[in-house]
Amino acid sequence: MLERIVPSNRPAPLAIPVDRAATERIGRLAIRSLYREAALAPKPGLVSPVSQGSHRDMDFTTFLRSLQALRSYFPAIAACGLQRPDFAPLRVLGIEAEATMLAATGGVNTHRGAIFNLGLLCAAAGRLIADGETSSAATACQAVKNNWAADILDGLATLPAASQLKLSHGLEVARRYGTGGARQEAASGFPAALEIGLPAYRSILVATDDGELAAVQSLFALIAELDDTNLLWRGGPAGLACGRRAASEFLAAGGVLADDWREHAAAIDRDFVARDLSPGGSADLLGVTLFLAELDGRD
């Protein structure tokens, strides 16, 4: 998704005075949201403090190293957003952040999706500050769509044959199954986060005043609805259908409001691990959902 760019596309020197308190706050919200997503348990097939899920190459400490390495990236890309940039400087910052992440994790991809998704939203929040507007879930998502959608989608409609170029997992799934994945979600203004993740999160937060329960409900709501590219990569259409069915059944049984929700979620986790399934796309959008909830001040 991130491509090598010549050094001339590095962000230009800042022309607009940087509100460092604001950009640092945006960066903290991003890191906090990603920590909350990583620390959540149980999560089907995903890494948590008590499980590696379906991932043999990473654990919770890998995620903590990655988050520590990315602490400066999110305020930096928010500050870049203050300059009302085109897409190229954002891409450069993302490439550099990805290299930093891989160095910290020994080559393991823990947060590539977050670098892309939350990087764009942090930049959007910075741009809104520059425009004298309020950063909220709705305005940040709309700013991503309005300012960078065409560049985000550039090349997605004309993906080469698999023999011509080694694609990322997400782009390979897009080529194979015709899904838009993370690029389409971002270019569209994160509709899954706004229309699925956030409503599920907020409904449980209102009912229970418990952010952990709300986050679990939001994750299962996303798994039930998304064409999760990680599920497609690992299990094909059958794996995606299995994951969506399990999440839908969890929600139909009452979700986190059911007395036995932890046992039910843990059973789904065991089944995902046995099938080597991991809904990483849904996890990425949970991170987006939590960040958007923080922007709205409803966490």
Side-chain angles (χ1 to χ4, degrees):
M1 184 178 300
L2 299 173
E3 306 153 28
R4 185 59 58 190
I5 301 296
V6 295
S8 61
N9 280 330
R10 286 188 55 81
L14 299 181
I16 298 175
V18 174
D19 184 343
R20 296 204 178 277
T23 57
E24 290 293 332
R25 174 183 173 273
I26 293 166
R28 285 195 302 273
L29 295 186
I31 289 292
R32 176 180 169 182
S33 300
L34 294 176
Y35 177 81
R36 289 179 64 194
E37 185 278 317
L40 194 65
K43 301 194 299 279
L46 296 162
V47 172
S48 76
V50 296
S51 172
Q52 288 182 262
S54 299
H55 300 271
R56 299 173 183 83
D57 60 343
M58 64 181 83
D59 58 19
F60 184 60
T61 61
T62 317
F63 275 76
L64 294 183
R65 291 199 304 273
S66 180
L67 286 176
Q68 182 63 31
L70 293 174
R71 292 186 75 88
S72 63
Y73 164 65
F74 294 110
I77 201 167
C80 183
L82 281 167
Q83 310 307 308
R84 304 183 181 93
D86 61 19
F87 191 63
L90 305 182
R91 186 189 285 125
V92 170
L93 288 173
I95 290 169
E96 293 175 348
E98 185 173 316
T100 300
M101 172 197 72
L102 293 174
T105 62
V108 177
N109 168 27
T110 46
H111 287 111
R112 183 173 290 140
I115 289 169
F116 178 70
N117 292 329
L118 292 191
L120 285 169
L121 286 166
C122 286
R127 187 171 184 127
L128 288 165
I129 292 171
D131 291 341
E133 300 181 29
T134 300
S135 295
S136 67
T139 60
C141 291
Q142 191 65 38
V144 171
K145 179 179 179 180
N146 289 348
N147 292 294
W148 304 303
D151 291 301
I152 291 168
L153 292 176
D154 184 36
L156 190 60
T158 56
L159 289 174
S163 60
Q164 294 177 287
L165 179 68
K166 181 175 175 58
L167 301 175
S168 69
H169 290 175
L171 289 179
E172 172 60 25
V173 166
R175 184 195 65 80
R176 190 180 303 173
Y177 301 110
T179 62
R183 286 196 185 202
Q184 185 63 63
E185 176 69 15
S188 301
F190 299 98
L194 288 174
E195 298 167 15
I196 301 169
L198 270 176
Y201 180 85
R202 288 170 175 163
S203 68
I204 297 300
L205 198 61
V206 168
T208 68
D209 197 30
D210 188 316
E212 178 188 6
L213 293 180
V216 172
Q217 186 82 355
S218 180
L219 175 61
F220 275 91
L222 289 164
I223 296 171
E225 297 290 337
L226 287 183
D227 288 333
D228 191 300
T229 53
N230 287 59
L231 288 176
L232 278 168
W233 174 257
R234 285 173 172 261
L240 175 64
C242 174
R244 293 178 67 168
R245 181 172 58 252
S248 295
E249 290 172 352
F250 175 83
L251 296 171
V256 297
L257 299 180
D259 291 339
D260 63 344
W261 80 264
R262 286 189 181 274
E263 292 80 2
H264 193 171
I268 294 172
D269 178 36
R270 290 192 295 272
D271 184 60
F272 274 40
V273 172
R275 297 173 186 267
D276 197 33
L277 296 176
S278 174
S282 300
D284 286 344
L285 283 178
L286 175 61
V288 169
T289 296
L290 296 175
F291 178 76
L292 295 177
E294 296 262 17
L295 274 185
D296 276 355
R298 301 177 186 177
D299 60 323

